[in-house]
Amino acid sequence: MNPDADTPSALPRRIAHLDMDAFFASVELLRYPQLKGFPVVIGGGRRKEDVVLAGLREAYPDQDWSAATLDMIPVDFFPRLAGYTGRGVATTATYAARQFGVGSAMGLMKAAKLCPQAILLPVDFDEVRRISRLFKSTITEIAPVMEDRGIDEVYIDFTDVPGGQREGGRVLARLIQKCIFEATGLTCSIGVAPNKLIAKMASEFKKPNGISVVTMDDLQTLIWPLPCRKVNGVGPKADEKLQKQGIVTVGDVAAKERGWLMQHFGKSYGAWLHEVSWGRDSRPVVTESEPVSMSRETTFERDLHAVRDRAELGAVFTRLCEQVAADLERKGYVGKTIGIKLRYDNFQSVTRDTTIDHFTADAATIRREAGLCLKRVDLTRRLRLLGVRVGKLVKAGTDEALVNDYSDSPSANRKDRNPDDHHTHLLFPELD
């Protein structure tokens, strides 16, 4: 008798990346089905249903308006982007709007120039989060090994799921698409590949509502012709540096020797570029992961100046620090890297951070250290956005978090000796 007869053979790895199609916009179209096919942009603020209903009752007083009759709102009632002058940013756009060049994270004033006829709707974060939880729970009922990658995307390990190997994973992907649509009314696109790297790229191939199955045999025909920016981990600065070396596509990277890439892009990043260009990625699908950082930021309705709007900026800055501290405390984390993010009126962004020698979730400490970071940036220019971040997180109360809480270092003692020595919301002392 063969002792290995009952041992299952190793199955080929099947990893899926699932991305909900224009998620924020699609959630709104569930509420307003009459807008399907129209260019719609989501952004500019939070949804306030009472304001919507008040406007409807004023415009159409003969109709009995309620949350149950929103699908009867005339299309002409919805606001257009034309003439928009606010400071908002597009969260997402329908595919009809994307055809005009409108995309996520684009300023709404720019979007208004590209597609003035687009309908502008605010974000309903509560409903977005509800449907996000719903589609993810639908997935885990079918394929339990799922990695949450944000509000609208996940990785799924198909390898050992019943049906996960059929047609390279296509059969299971179709089942998941069907179940998500039945549960939410929304579509998604799925890429299935031997690893997370290729799966994420594959999920973009047939949007919306598509399935792409990619194998290592498809590397040269499907992956190598892609621009380097399609690789998750190649940002604009790295892409610019690659292009200066005449490297435009993933295939161009693969044509370079590993040593050459390490010499020109650093040992770690150069080696990584070589691996990903050949489609290698051994990262597992992680079902639970610790947050890397927590942050809060705000985009101003008008550009603020650090001198002329000193009191207002100081109040906003303090509030952001307090919000981050509250987030840390509520979720049970402490951190030791504290940083800021600024965006100037020309859309240039800058970040600065500092690492202290003890973990903290204390608002005053975050405010003080973030304030020191502000001293390292140009505060003579008008500001469009301000943000605060705390990183290098660990769980509060763990050994790692407690070790440095009793440090004898001057900076650790500083917070104990001077509990009131922090910037107040009435000042913006970083100018002093």
Side-chain angles (χ1 to χ4, degrees):
M1 180 178 179
N2 182 359
D4 298 323
D6 295 329
T7 303
S9 58
L11 296 172
R13 197 168 182 235
R14 307 283 186 199
I15 305 299
H17 179 261
L18 183 149
D19 190 18
M20 299 299 290
D21 296 323
F23 186 51
F24 284 79
S26 299
V27 168
E28 287 304 312
L29 293 184
L30 292 175
R31 181 183 284 118
Y32 306 117
Q34 64 270 44
L35 299 183
K36 287 182 179 178
F38 287 89
V40 177
V41 177
I42 307 298
R46 291 175 178 267
R47 180 177 183 272
K48 298 177 181 178
E49 187 168 286
D50 55 342
V51 175
V52 175
L53 293 175
L56 285 166
R57 289 163 186 154
E58 181 179 350
Y60 308 99
D62 296 333
Q63 175 72 38
D64 184 18
W65 294 105
S66 69
T69 58
L70 297 180
D71 59 346
M72 299 173 59
I73 299 175
V75 172
D76 290 342
F77 174 80
F78 294 94
R80 270 31 180 205
L81 266 179
Y84 181 88
T85 56
R87 311 302 298 171
V89 175
T91 302
T92 191
T94 59
Y95 291 98
R98 294 182 189 190
Q99 293 177 1
F100 293 89
V102 179
S104 301
M106 177 180 289
L108 290 177
M109 289 182 67
K110 180 178 179 181
K113 293 179 181 178
L114 294 172
C115 189
Q117 73 274 26
I119 293 167
L120 176 62
L121 295 177
V123 179
D124 185 346
F125 286 108
D126 290 339
E127 183 67 1
V128 164
R129 282 189 286 263
R130 185 187 73 82
I131 294 183
S132 178
R133 291 191 295 269
L134 181 56
F135 91 75
K136 290 168 186 174
S137 65
T138 301
I139 293 170
T140 54
E141 289 177 2
I142 302 167
V145 183
M146 183 194 78
E147 180 177 335
D148 193 333
R149 294 302 301 169
I151 197 84
D152 60 353
E153 63 174 313
V154 297
Y155 288 107
I156 316 163
D157 194 333
F158 279 14
T159 307
D160 296 311
V161 179
Q165 297 292 335
R166 292 179 59 191
E167 297 181 22
R170 188 180 300 275
V171 171
L172 185 57
R174 279 200 296 262
L175 174 62
I176 289 174
Q177 277 188 329
K178 176 176 178 289
C179 291
I180 287 177
F181 184 78
E182 289 175 350
T184 68
L186 302 181
T187 65
C188 62
S189 297
I190 303 175
V192 187
N195 56 52
K196 293 162 77 171
L197 170 81
I198 300 177
K200 184 170 177 64
M201 290 187 276
S203 67
E204 295 287 330
F205 287 169
K206 296 182 180 179
K207 271 189 164 292
N209 199 28
I211 297 172
S212 299
V213 177
V214 178
T215 70
M216 292 304 290
D217 292 337
D218 299 316
L219 186 68
Q220 295 186 27
T221 55
L222 296 180
I223 303 302
W224 279 5
L226 297 175
C228 294
R229 282 286 278 125
K230 290 292 184 180
V231 177
N232 189 30
V234 176
K237 290 184 179 179
D239 188 47
E240 182 182 358
K241 189 173 181 181
L242 285 164
Q243 291 195 35
K244 286 181 179 178
Q245 296 290 342
I247 299 173
V248 178
T249 67
V250 178
D252 294 337
V253 179
K256 295 294 184 181
E257 295 289 337
R258 180 188 183 94
W260 186 92
L261 291 169
M262 293 171 68
Q263 178 184 349
H264 287 80
F265 295 93
K267 290 183 178 180
S268 177
Y269 194 70
W272 176 81
L273 283 172
H274 182 266
E275 290 296 296
V276 299
S277 70
W278 285 92
R280 302 187 191 112
D281 179 17
S282 60
R283 291 174 299 157
V285 174
V286 180
T287 55
E288 294 184 9
S289 60
E290 299 292 333
V292 175
S293 65
M294 293 188 192
S295 63
R296 288 286 190 132
E297 63 182 43
T298 186
T299 300
F300 305 122
E301 288 297 320
R302 62 179 179 86
D303 296 335
L304 299 182
H305 193 278
V307 175
R308 291 189 288 276
D309 303 297
R310 178 178 179 138
E312 183 176 353
L313 274 171
V316 170
F317 193 43
T318 297
R319 185 176 72 248
L320 291 172
C321 294
E322 291 171 345
Q323 289 173 338
V324 172
D327 292 341
L328 289 166
E329 184 174 354
R330 185 176 67 255
K331 297 179 181 180
Y333 287 92
V334 289
K336 61 191 304 187
T337 295
I338 298 167
I340 60 164
K341 175 182 177 181
L342 303 181
R343 182 172 296 141
Y344 296 112
D345 54 0
N346 64 353
F347 284 87
Q348 178 190 0
S349 296
V350 296
T351 59
R352 296 289 186 272
D353 61 51
T354 184
T355 298
I356 58 179
D357 53 15
H358 59 279
F359 290 94
T360 187
D362 175 63
T365 302
I366 294 170
R367 177 63 169 84
R368 181 177 58 242
E369 300 299 335
L372 293 175
C373 291
L374 277 177
K375 289 181 174 289
R376 295 157 49 199
V377 298
D378 181 5
L379 291 178
T380 64
R381 298 162 60 186
R382 299 184 69 85
L383 303 177
R384 175 183 173 85
L385 174 147
L386 180 61
V388 177
R389 169 184 171 274
V390 177
K392 289 194 177 178
L393 304 183
V394 298
K395 275 288 187 181
T398 60
D399 290 343
E400 186 178 1
L402 293 172
V403 164
N404 288 323
D405 275 356
Y406 301 100
S407 168
D408 291 329
S409 68
S411 60
N413 288 334
R414 177 182 61 191
K415 66 169 184 174
D416 296 327
R417 288 198 311 264
N418 301 298
D420 297 321
D421 183 21
H422 60 272
H423 305 314
T424 73
H425 70 283
L426 298 176
L427 299 174
F428 207 46
E430 288 69 35
L431 289 172
D432 296 336

